[in-house]
Amino acid sequence: MSSASRTRISRSSSTWRNWAGNVSARPVREARPASVRELADTVRGAAEEGLRVKTVGTGHSFTSIAATDGVLIRPDLLTGIRRVDRRGLTVTVESGTPLKRLNAALAREGLSLTNMGDIMEQTVAGAISTGTHGTGRDSASIAAQIRELELVTADGRILTCSEKGTDEERAVFAAARIGLGALGVVSAITFAVEPIFLLAAREEPMTFDRVTTEFDALHAENEHFEFYWFPHTGNCNTKRNNRSAGPAAPPGRVSGWIEDELLSNGLFQVVNSVGRAVPAAVPAIAKLSSRALSARTYTDIPYKVFTSPRRVRFVEMEYALPREAAVGALRELKAMVDRSPLRVSFPVEVRTAPADDITLSTASGRETAYIAVHMYKGTPYRSYFTAAERIMTAHGGRPHWGKLHTRDAGYLAEVYPRFGEFTALRDRLDPDRVFGNDYLRRVLGA
């Protein structure tokens, strides 16, 4: 029996939807390859039929980056750790492995990623392909921790690339770490890891004026700093994470449940539902919500500090700005919300990242700050996002690839110095646009 015949293939009669419910697609068929060979056969077969191919993980992107009318690959059988290199401090993992499984497996091995985002539901390939990041003064996005990639190209070739390879492999590696699904299907990823460590977290309310005035100092003094501003208020909640010699002191079971589940999810769900039904109540609700979370400190292993449950569904837009422009842009955003009839029940999130060398990373070549705006699922968001986007683009902002925005290839070529390098590589690897879709046509050009 050939590997192609073993691949789980089914005619699609259902509609795929993303996590937020704002994107849907009806593929011709779905495939569930269980090995890289089966994956390569699936891609090759689809290309021979003239069908486009996209891989979809857990659907946590708000854009249509994974939508297709051709073959939809589900990577849920491409999971698990292939190997752990303790001497070289790397781990190689199958592309469909959820981050939460990787984090737990690494912890059992006494290892950890250096930095990560604040949710861990995504597959590893989905997370890197869209540029998922956390916050860090010195440590960058998940993709910046990659040491090697295995990629299935449009002709069914299995290509392994790293900084140590041939000229072609180095060029692919520079781009494919955040490849937008445009260069091929990622089948395995080798991450740099380190011995597990402890992080001391300090969460503290702070006024908007204070946090924006002291932003540079807070960034410089902490390994990982982020904050949330509650629109319609002058209140923020800050979080500082720094390495600790211990001992571990995780949140108490009851107090942790109250903060992370009751307040941040259960009560937050209720207040957003009320705000959607009665928009006039949002400013008053925001003032109450911004005072609900109190100061706390705790110390735990990295993924238990970096990540938190996100059960309240929303849509999101995030822009990466030069770090020195962040405070000015945030103050403009606050002034815009204050003078507008908008009613915003979700906090605005601000994080940072050091410059990296990935071709289309939002932090490519520059120290970066991220400003993310959200709206509760089912609430009109276009007016708010349009006004926020106008502010961000005036500062040379780069939109997150997996979050809502209206930018096109013309704009993106201006804010990414290496944009042409990426599109030229795409022309070589996928001249027939096997991995194309409407979203990629807009952001990368025809």
Side-chain angles (χ1 to χ4, degrees), residues 209-246:
D209 289 343
R210 180 185 169 193
V211 76
T212 52
T213 299
E214 299 180 8
F215 177 71
D216 287 340
L218 289 163
H219 168 78
E221 293 165 3
N222 295 282
E223 293 176 74
H224 309 274
F225 174 70
E226 64 184 304
F227 70 93
Y228 298 84
W229 163 59
F230 294 82
H232 311 293
T233 80
N235 302 324
C236 297
N237 197 49
T238 64
K239 185 172 182 179
R240 286 168 266 192
N241 298 330
N242 291 286
R243 296 197 183 208
S244 169

Side-chain angles (χ1 to χ4, degrees), residues 315-396:
V315 292
E316 180 178 0
M317 180 178 73
E318 180 180 72
Y319 266 81
L321 307 181
R323 187 163 55 82
E324 64 273 14
V327 168
L330 189 63
R331 287 171 175 160
E332 290 176 47
L333 183 67
K334 184 177 186 300
M336 181 274 292
V337 171
D338 287 347
R339 67 174 179 263
S340 77
L342 294 169
R343 295 294 177 260
V344 182
S345 60
F346 250 82
V348 173
E349 183 179 24
V350 181
R351 294 176 289 175
T352 66
D356 64 42
D357 63 350
I358 304 171
T359 311
L360 290 188
S361 166
T362 47
S364 182
R366 71 186 190 192
E367 295 282 324
T368 295
Y370 297 94
I371 298 178
V373 297
H374 314 68
M375 285 292 272
Y376 182 51
K377 180 182 177 182
T379 303
Y381 65 85
R382 294 188 187 278
S383 294
Y384 177 37
F385 283 16
T386 298
E389 188 172 44
R390 190 176 299 118
I391 293 168
M392 303 305 158
T393 54
H395 291 278

Side-chain angles (χ1 to χ4, degrees), residues 259-277:
E259 290 280 346
D260 296 327
E261 292 294 347
L262 179 62
L263 296 179
S264 297
N265 284 289
L267 183 60
F268 194 50
Q269 175 80 58
V270 171
V271 299
N272 275 278
S273 297
V274 172
R276 183 174 62 186

